[in-house]
């Protein structure tokens, strides 16, 4: 849905972690966070990627949590996106 706030996490390492109150699991290592971005979805299930200096050539695990969107599979939890591995090229 367009206009939904998302917390987008970028980490340099992958690791499976259970996250309370979110459906599914986090597939990135919280101790290896590179950055955290707050974004508003433009729709079509896409999230804008950051364009900060120093990200060129990095390989990052990316995953988004949607604190205002209820999970469709776990009542009472919030939506967590699928993870993605992104190589930043500019």
């Amino acid at each position: 849905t367009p206009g939904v706030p998302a917390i987008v996490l970028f980490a340099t390492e992958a690791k499976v972690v259970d996250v309370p109150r979110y459906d599914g699991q986090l597939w990135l290592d919280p101790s290896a966070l590179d950055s955290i971005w707050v974004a508003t979805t433009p729709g079509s299930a896409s999230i804008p990627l950051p364009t900060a200096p120093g990200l060129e050539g990095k390989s990052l695990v990316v995953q988004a949590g949607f604190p205002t969107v209820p999970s469709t599979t776990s009542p009472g939890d919030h939506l967590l996106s699928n993870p993605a591995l992104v190589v930043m090229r500019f």
Side-chain angles (χ1 to χ4, degrees):
T1 305
V4 172
I7 300 167
V8 186
L9 306 172
F10 297 83
T12 55
E13 300 291 331
K15 180 179 177 180
V16 179
V17 179
D18 288 319
V19 181
R21 309 246 7 233
Y22 281 86
D23 64 347
Q25 294 173 312
L26 194 61
W27 286 77
L28 51 83
D29 187 349
S31 66
L33 285 177
D34 182 85
S35 57
I36 300 172
W37 295 73
V38 177
T40 302
T41 58
S44 304
S46 62
I47 301 257
L49 293 175
T51 56
L55 292 179
E56 301 89 352
K58 279 193 176 180
S59 177
L60 300 171
V61 182
V62 181
Q63 196 166 6
F66 300 89
T68 63
V69 180
S71 167
T72 56
T73 58
S74 302
D77 289 348
H78 301 286
L79 184 64
L80 192 60
S81 77
N82 291 327
L85 180 62
V86 176
V87 177
M88 304 301 283
R89 298 179 193 204
F90 298 92

